[in-house]
Amino acid sequence: MPGFKSQPEHPYSHLIDTLKDGNLKFFNPLKLSDQRYDKLPLSIRVLLEAAIRWCDGFYTKQEDVQNILDWQQQQNKAEVPFSPARVLLQDFTGIPAMVDLATMRDAVSKHGMDPGVVNPKCPTDLIVDHSLQIDYSKCAIQNAPNPGGGDGLNQSQGPSRLIPSRPPSRGGSHCGGQRSSCSKPACSDPPASSGQPGPPSVQQIENTPLLCPFHMQPVSEHEIAFKNQEMELNRNKERLQFFKWCSKAFKNVNVIPPDVGAVHQVNLEYLSRVVQVSDGLIYPDSVVGTDSHTTMINGLGILGWGVGGIESEAVMLGQPVSLTLPHVVGCKLVGSINPLTTSIDIVLGITKHLRQAGIAGKFVEFFGPGVSQLSAPDRTTIANMCPEYNATVSFFPVDQVTLKHFKKTHFSQEKLELLESYMKAVKLFRSYDDPSEDPEFSEVIEINLSSMVPYVSGPKRPQDRVAVSNMKEDFQSCLDEKVGFKGFHISKEKQETRIPFLHCGQEYQLAHGSVVIAAVISCTNNCNPSVMLTAGLLAKKAIEAGLVVKPYIQTSLAPGSGMVTHYLNTSGVLPYFSQLGFQVIGYGCATCVGNKAPLPEAVVDAVKQGDLVACGVLSGNRHFEGRLCDCVRANYLASPPLVVAYAIAGTVGIDFEKEPLGLSSDGKEVYLRDIWPSREEVQQTEEDTVISSIFKDLRGRMEKGNTFWNNLESPDSVVFPWDHKSTYIRSPSFFSKLSKEVPPPQSIENAHALLFLGDKVTTDHISPAGSIARVSTAAKYLMSKRLTPREFNSYGARRGNDAVMTRGTFASIKLQNRFIGKPGPKTLHIPSGQMLDVFEAADRYQRDGVPLIILAGKDYGSGNSRDWVAKGPYLLGVRAIIAESFEKLHKNQLVGMGIMPLQFQSGQNADSLELNGKERFSIVMPESMSPRQQLTVKTSQGKSFLVTALFDTETDIVLFQHGGLLRYVARTLL
């Protein structure tokens, strides 16, 4: 079971306690009666609880528990195991793991055992979200009016990025009857001829709306999404059938079908538990995942981080993650957030501080009174930024804000009470305002939230940031400065110019700094909806105060997605946007790229007459001079609520603290502070509308499922019926000749070097990724199966086919093999002297019964973890790798596949030992081994040298003797 080993001999059975209701048990670290526990960071307490619960004397020992408890002295020294509560997979990394389990069932069945006993030991969620490719995208006809802003295309030169025109909707006799198509009633035939040519053969330009070719009416993006999903499902039908079989055949496997959501969002919005309950035991939720966004979950008090495919597979099979006890940096948040500061300002400000602090590879844990001011979405966004500042996790312990968030999701009141009761019982619940609860940290970084002030960027470049409080002074200095990155060089006597003009029968005046364009765009603000809600609530309060936006200012609202429009409407703020003039103009890039209607002629004339520096304010990400309009010289990027504020003020030359936005209907001055919504108000609206609607929508999609998935047929057998014609799913040979008994140690005799490599061979060099080159051995294999290059798909999609992945191993065009002398996926077949593809050489060696080794330099296996970096060499026949040094994670992967990582003695390498790589190598294996034992390597030229076998623990030795983790787990079932 995933919870704990219930045998009487469990060394920590005396710590088992019961919650108040008496129905659930838990391991209570407080019963250790050790004062060190109260001083541990809460993230380390999660590691400790897991070590106590999983202590079995093999993977996890009592010594590991004591090391974690002694974290203050053992940090950055002791190596400890961590068994998370669950594993999170996306489909690219999930398929090889599930194929291995299916193959293990075959191996167990051949020995007369029940194959149904083969299941992941750790609960596993597999989300199918990485198969989607963009076969269709939004586009517009070339001759649409001014499709890209500015001058039209020069027909003689031709368009620079064109897409062939699309045929009419498939099978359609009526355009209006097609899914999400244009609203005209019929387009089965071209318009009647009137002596004019029929519809032109148009070309399409990217990133502008798709038009019906006959009526020139926009086609909804729902059709585009539908077509891409349809292509995804058909292209990956074999893989999806296998996944569906897995969902039925395996226990502890939960498959989320396509078209539900991205892996990290589903993890955040649906799979997160905070606490797990299994077989009467309650314990903290935790997760390792094969997605870089896994760290988001730490914002909800759930410990989790990203790992490679082979590490996640090991956890599924019951092996813990190994990590050095980390430094834990306490990030203390103090001060009050500036009322005008948005969540995005806070997230980016904290990220900047942490990036400058040098915390690579460390845990970050937040504490201090300022944490309570951050909403759950704020916290998950900060935790998601871990890759930006290179922390392993950014952990926010559970508090009342977390409980309030889950109350709006799928948590019942009973579950909330259980969560709170357990977390308080083991002291994993925080009151951030109580300093007596603060643990001890390796170091503390203090961030004053009040120092984070809102900024805008401009007036010509996005990198030129200006504090809103300094905006009036900064714009004045821009008028004074010489023409350059910021300056406009307006003479003093002309800086007070006012130009009157008529608009819709009423007189107005323009001056330097007058706002003439105000665009609220959510494309850069979708990750955290609070900023759009802040803008909407500001609009609501402005209308209620009687404020207006001058009618000559070109205002617009581009929500970025239908979900944004949905939550703006659900929260009730969309009508107020509209009343101020910010009406929804559609979904796509518009103002940012200059796709906007012309300004009123009177405005343009006034700007030109006074040579005015008119302004545009938008919440996009690009605003270079003249991009919005050639008569608008100053353009500022601002948060959505500040766009609304500057539109109401009508000028950027305003000090919001000292000057009113305008006058109310009864003539009273209204300041920005009077109508700016409080953070509490925004967070409450966010929780009540956005969070609730997101979870309701996700639950609906989970319950309803996907029609294609629901109708997809899959086998009902206990073992998978392999299709030998399949080029996606194949049974690998990891379990060939599997015996019940552990075989005796086998020495390596007269091995050849498959490769002779230098320093810093990365996982990119070793493991296949990306597209399949047409001249590669993998391509030759696929073409032998009668596939065309267009049908190759990618290595990622074919990770379930060992024939493809083995052929892709060491197939990098950047591989530096000293046998060859130039980059490329070739090697020397030493007996024949032929230059062959790496796979072809390895295949020839294996047919001749010749064992293989690899010679390498320093830092072998550095880079991102990939599931085939050890599996590929294993299937190529590699028995050992001799290198100057190994990347630690990759060394563990080699051990897990039964490949020996052997390290040259200090100061030695292939050159100092005068090895040319063409020798034959023999390595004698003793009957019994100990960690880091020295072995002797003998060559056919009479030389011998010592190497260190990098087995760090007795567990490593056991796994190696079994031939790797997969074979070890299979034998335990025989």
Side-chain angles (χ1 to χ4, degrees):
M1 62 167 283
F4 73 118
K5 294 183 176 293
S6 58
Q7 295 90 338
E9 66 270 15
H10 193 291
Y12 290 103
S13 57
H14 62 285
L15 301 184
I16 296 176
D17 208 342
T18 58
L19 287 180
K20 294 178 181 178
D21 60 6
N23 294 324
L24 291 176
K25 295 182 178 181
F26 65 100
F27 281 94
N28 191 350
L30 272 68
K31 294 181 74 173
L32 288 168
S33 300
D34 194 314
Q35 294 181 351
R36 290 175 295 179
Y37 182 76
D38 288 342
K39 298 178 181 179
L40 291 177
L42 276 69
S43 53
I44 300 299
R45 296 181 199 180
V46 176
L47 297 181
L48 178 64
E49 189 281 338
I52 290 172
R53 179 164 37 93
W54 279 102
C55 190
D56 60 357
F58 181 64
Y59 285 130
T60 305
K61 302 178 174 63
Q62 293 186 59
E63 178 187 357
D64 298 316
V65 173
Q66 291 303 315
N67 282 336
I68 299 173
L69 193 58
D70 194 28
W71 169 79
Q72 280 288 4
Q73 301 302 318
Q74 296 297 329
Q75 57 181 300
N76 214 31
K77 297 178 184 177
E79 194 84 7
V80 297
F82 173 55
S83 296
R86 56 191 174 92
V87 174
L88 183 71
L89 302 174
Q90 37 90 344
D91 48 314
F92 272 16
T93 51
I95 197 162
M98 302 314 298
V99 165
D100 289 347
L101 287 171
T103 305
M104 191 183 295
R105 282 197 168 185
D106 292 342
V108 169
S109 179
K110 288 177 182 177
H111 282 271
M113 304 296 291
D114 177 13
V117 300
V118 176
N119 294 288
K121 295 183 178 181
C122 183
T124 301
D125 296 301
L126 193 157
I127 293 88
V128 184
D129 78 325
H130 272 50
S131 302
L132 184 64
Q133 296 182 25
I134 303 176
D135 295 285
Y136 299 93
S137 59
K138 292 188 290 183
C139 52
I141 58 168
Q142 176 192 346
N143 57 356
N146 195 20
D151 296 332
L153 287 168
N154 185 328
Q155 297 298 321
S156 64
Q157 295 175 345
S160 58
R161 297 185 66 188
L162 297 179
I163 301 173
S165 61
R166 291 194 195 190
S169 296
R170 48 183 166 75
S173 60
H174 297 281
C175 181
Q178 293 297 321
R179 177 184 174 122
S180 303
S181 52
C182 92
S183 58
K184 297 292 184 178
C187 63
S188 56
D189 301 307
S193 175
S194 58
Q196 300 295 327
S201 176
V202 297
Q203 292 178 300
Q204 310 284 348
I205 299 175
E206 291 184 334
N207 297 326
T208 42
L210 175 67
L211 303 185
C212 165
F214 293 116
H215 299 124
M216 302 305 152
Q217 297 294 314
V219 175
S220 166
E221 57 190 42
H222 295 298
E223 176 74 5
I224 297 167
F226 174 75
K227 286 178 177 292
N228 280 318
Q229 291 159 9
E230 190 175 46
M231 288 291 290
E232 172 194 6
L233 297 173
N234 288 324
R235 179 188 288 121
N236 295 285
K237 186 175 180 180
E238 278 185 63
R239 298 168 65 243
L240 296 176
Q241 285 177 319
F242 176 72
F243 283 138
K244 191 163 187 180
W245 173 80
C246 291
S247 69
K248 296 187 297 183
F250 289 110
K251 298 176 182 177
N252 274 345
V253 173
N254 174 36
V255 177
I256 309 296
D259 196 29
V260 170
V263 54
H264 54 282
Q265 286 299 125
V266 174
N267 185 33
L268 195 70
E269 298 166 4
Y270 187 78
L271 301 174
S272 56
R273 307 275 196 279
V274 185
V275 294
Q276 296 274 4
V277 177
S278 178
D279 292 347
L281 185 78
I282 185 169
Y283 50 95
D285 189 12
S286 55
V287 62
V288 291
T290 58
D291 182 79
S292 60
H293 298 286
T294 303
T295 55
M296 290 180 78
I297 206 70
N298 292 278
L300 299 179
I302 300 169
L303 188 66
W305 61 86
V307 296
I310 200 165
E311 290 78 46
S312 63
E313 184 172 347
V315 175
M316 290 170 62
L317 295 173
Q319 186 180 32
V321 175
S322 179
L323 73 157
T324 303
L325 267 178
H327 282 297
V328 182
V329 178
C331 186
K332 185 176 185 179
L333 302 184
V334 299
S336 299
I337 297 175
N338 185 306
L340 300 186
T341 301
T342 67
S343 293
I344 297 301
D345 294 322
I346 295 296
V347 169
L348 295 180
I350 291 175
T351 299
K352 180 182 177 182
H353 276 279
L354 293 177
R355 188 187 295 122
Q356 294 171 343
I359 55 174
K362 300 177 182 179
F363 280 20
V364 175
E365 185 168 312
F366 287 84
F367 74 110
V371 180
S372 302
Q373 300 175 62
L374 302 180
S375 67
D378 292 340
R379 299 176 186 187
T380 57
T381 308
I382 293 168
N384 186 43
M385 299 295 280
C386 273
E388 292 294 320
Y389 43 85
N390 294 320
T392 302
V393 300
S394 281
F395 190 69
F396 288 85
V398 174
D399 70 337
Q400 289 296 336
V401 172
T402 318
L403 296 181
K404 183 180 177 182
H405 167 78
F406 279 112
K407 190 173 183 179
K408 300 295 182 180
T409 64
H410 57 285
F411 278 42
S412 64
Q413 185 61 35
E414 180 184 6
K415 187 171 183 178
L416 283 170
E417 291 174 358
L418 176 65
L419 185 162
E420 184 174 3
S421 176
Y422 170 72
M423 299 299 272
K424 286 183 176 179
V426 293
K427 292 192 175 180
L428 288 174
F429 193 91
R430 280 289 334 240
S431 173
Y432 288 107
D433 294 325
D434 184 357
S436 68
E437 294 184 11
D438 293 347
E440 294 181 0
F441 296 102
S442 307
E443 59 180 297
V444 173
I445 299 172
E446 184 172 300
I447 299 177
N448 191 332
L449 296 177
S450 61
S451 68
M452 296 180 187
V453 297
Y455 283 87
V456 297
S457 294
K460 300 182 181 183
R461 304 186 305 174
Q463 62 264 47
D464 296 324
R465 300 175 74 207
V466 183
V468 171
S469 57
N470 297 332
M471 181 65 163
K472 185 174 183 178
E473 295 177 9
D474 188 82
F475 182 74
Q476 182 60 50
S477 68
C478 290
L479 295 179
D480 295 334
E481 289 179 18
K482 293 181 179 179
V483 175
F485 289 133
K486 293 194 70 170
F488 297 102
H489 199 54
I490 304 297
S491 61
K492 290 290 185 182
E493 61 272 15
K494 292 185 177 181
Q495 289 183 12
E496 301 301 320
T497 300
R498 298 284 189 276
I499 303 296
F501 68 99
L502 288 177
H503 179 77
C504 296
Q506 188 169 346
E507 183 176 304
Y508 299 92
Q509 285 190 347
L510 287 182
H512 293 292
S514 291
V515 174
V516 294
I517 298 173
V520 173
I521 305 163
S522 79
C523 60
T524 56
N525 298 283
N526 281 333
C527 63
N528 193 321
S530 62
V531 287
M532 290 296 286
L533 287 175
T534 302
L537 291 170
L538 180 69
K540 177 178 182 291
K541 289 173 177 287
I543 292 295
E544 291 171 346
L547 298 177
V548 297
V549 174
K550 296 179 176 65
Y552 62 81
I553 298 176
Q554 190 179 85
T555 50
S556 60
L557 172 60
S561 75
M563 175 55 76
V564 179
T565 304
H566 172 72
Y567 68 66
L568 291 178
N569 192 46
T570 304
S571 62
V573 300
L574 195 59
Y576 296 100
F577 264 128
S578 182
Q579 287 184 59
L580 275 184
F582 292 93
Q583 297 174 329
V584 175
I585 53 91
Y587 305 92
C589 293
T591 306
C592 285
V593 294
N595 289 356
K596 50 172 292 301
L599 291 173
E601 190 173 338
V603 171
V604 175
D605 289 343
V607 170
K608 291 182 178 179
Q609 179 185 340
D611 192 25
L612 300 176
V613 180
C615 298
V617 186
L618 66 155
S619 60
N621 63 356
R622 288 292 182 269
H623 67 313
F624 297 109
E625 184 177 11
R627 185 165 185 164
L628 306 189
C629 178
D630 58 5
C631 67
V632 180
R633 287 190 275 172
N635 299 298
Y636 289 91
L637 299 181
S639 65
L642 284 176
V643 171
V644 174
Y646 281 114
I648 295 171
T651 178
V652 299
I654 181 174
D655 184 334
F656 287 131
E657 280 295 314
K658 300 176 181 177
E659 300 174 64
L661 283 176
L663 300 178
S664 64
S665 52
D666 57 1
K668 293 183 178 179
E669 292 183 340
V670 179
Y671 289 82
L672 183 58
R673 59 178 173 270
D674 298 330
I675 62 171
W676 190 274
S678 67
R679 284 185 61 82
E680 293 75 19
E681 185 178 0
V682 173
Q683 289 175 3
Q684 188 65 49
T685 304
E686 184 177 26
E687 292 285 350
D688 291 345
T689 59
V690 182
I691 303 300
S692 296
S693 64
I694 285 175
F695 279 88
K696 182 179 179 181
D697 175 68
L698 182 59
R699 281 199 305 273
R701 281 183 284 140
M702 292 290 293
E703 293 166 3
K704 182 181 178 182
N706 176 290
T707 303
F708 180 95
W709 176 265
N710 294 341
N711 296 332
L712 188 66
E713 295 183 358
S714 65
D716 293 319
S717 54
V718 178
V719 294
F720 186 70
W722 305 98
D723 180 359
H724 297 291
K725 296 180 181 179
S726 173
T727 57
Y728 278 101
I729 310 292
R730 235 178 70 118
S731 176
S733 57
F734 297 137
F735 303 97
S736 63
K737 301 179 181 179
L738 178 71
S739 60
K740 289 187 178 181
E741 298 77 24
V742 181
Q746 293 182 332
S747 298
I748 299 174
E749 297 180 1
N750 294 317
H752 269 305
L754 177 63
L755 297 163
F756 190 7
L757 305 172
D759 296 339
K760 297 192 180 298
V761 174
T762 71
T763 51
D764 282 344
H765 296 119
I766 304 169
S767 180
S771 60
I772 299 173
R774 297 188 180 193
V775 295
S776 65
T777 52
K780 294 175 187 176
Y781 165 79
L782 293 173
M783 286 189 284
S784 74
K785 301 294 182 180
R786 298 186 177 181
L787 295 183
T788 65
R790 189 174 183 180
E791 298 170 303
F792 286 175
N793 214 321
S794 64
Y795 280 115
R798 295 192 183 274
R799 275 176 168 168
N801 186 331
D802 64 297
V804 172
M805 301 305 287
T806 307
R807 285 166 171 81
T809 303
F810 294 113
S812 169
I813 60 172
K814 296 182 179 181
L815 182 71
Q816 294 277 2
N817 183 3
R818 293 174 65 176
F819 284 150
I820 305 301
K822 61 181 180 180
K826 301 283 185 181
T827 195
L828 175 68
H829 180 252
I830 296 170
S832 67
Q834 289 181 287
M835 294 294 180
L836 301 174
D837 287 319
V838 174
F839 172 81
E840 293 172 347
D843 183 55
R844 188 178 295 188
Y845 280 125
Q846 289 197 69
R847 283 188 276 113
D848 294 339
V850 177
L852 296 173
I853 68 165
I854 291 173
L855 295 174
K858 299 174 182 176
D859 300 325
Y860 181 82
S862 58
N864 294 331
S865 173
R866 290 185 180 157
D867 42 19
W868 279 92
V869 289
K871 290 180 178 179
Y874 174 86
L875 292 179
L876 288 176
V878 175
R879 297 277 307 280
I881 298 175
I882 307 175
E884 288 185 68
S885 63
F886 291 83
E887 199 279 332
K888 177 185 171 183
L889 181 59
H890 183 56
K891 183 268 295 182
N892 293 338
Q893 294 167 343
L894 294 173
V895 173
M897 284 307 301
I899 298 175
M900 277 200 297
L902 304 176
Q903 185 169 294
F904 288 111
Q905 298 296 288
S906 178
Q908 291 186 347
N909 56 34
D911 291 333
S912 69
L913 295 169
E914 297 182 347
L915 302 177
N916 60 28
K918 297 178 182 179
E919 305 91 342
R920 301 196 77 159
F921 299 84
S922 297
I923 305 170
V924 178
M925 297 293 296
E927 289 190 12
S928 62
M929 292 192 66
S930 57
R932 291 196 163 255
Q933 183 170 338
Q934 290 190 344
L935 304 177
T936 301
V937 181
K938 296 181 179 180
T939 75
S940 56
Q941 295 182 355
K943 295 178 181 178
S944 66
F945 55 94
L946 293 176
V947 293
T948 301
L950 298 182
F951 302 128
D952 292 330
T953 65
E954 294 291 344
T955 303
D956 285 350
I957 294 172
V958 171
L959 294 180
F960 171 74
Q961 290 172 338
H962 277 268
L965 177 66
L966 292 172
R967 296 172 77 88
Y968 167 78
V969 172
R971 279 199 183 92
T972 62
L973 301 174
L974 298 182

